[in-house]
Amino acid sequence: NFYTYQSVLTKGVATIILQKAKVNSLDVKFMKEVKSCFINLDEDDEIKGVLMKTKFNGKVFSAGLDINGLQNA
């Protein structure tokens, strides 16, 4: 997986940690995995909010669209 889901935190907030090396670039596979994660979270009535963060020391959240990855999709 390109993300880690942590269990529900206080006040109904779930945390997703993005971890696609090197800079969480967005390609089709990555976006499908994150979408699937959100669908699963939506089915949990205890979750009222979601916090997304990166594993990579806060230097960058996401580099954005992976043009090369989309061309190969």
Side-chain angles (χ1 to χ4, degrees):
N1 287 347
F2 293 128
Y3 66 87
T4 300
Y5 164 68
Q6 293 182 342
S7 60
V8 177
L9 301 176
T10 58
K11 300 182 183 179
V13 177
T15 300
I16 297 173
I17 301 173
L18 302 180
Q19 59 183 16
K20 181 181 180 219
K22 301 180 180 179
V23 289
N24 295 321
S25 58
L26 305 173
D27 61 16
V28 173
K29 184 176 179 182
F30 183 58
M31 290 187 283
K32 284 182 179 179
E33 280 196 22
V34 173
K35 178 182 177 183
S36 175
C37 180
F38 272 100
I39 289 170
N40 291 333
L41 292 173
D42 186 48
E43 295 173 357
D44 187 335
D45 291 335
E46 292 184 37
I47 296 174
K48 304 300 181 199
V50 177
L51 171 67
M52 291 182 71
K53 61 184 189 176
T54 181
K55 171 185 169 182
F56 304 114
N57 299 323
K59 294 180 181 180
V60 62
F61 178 74
S62 174
L65 192 60
D66 180 355
I67 301 296
N68 292 329
L70 292 176
Q71 289 176 343
N72 297 327

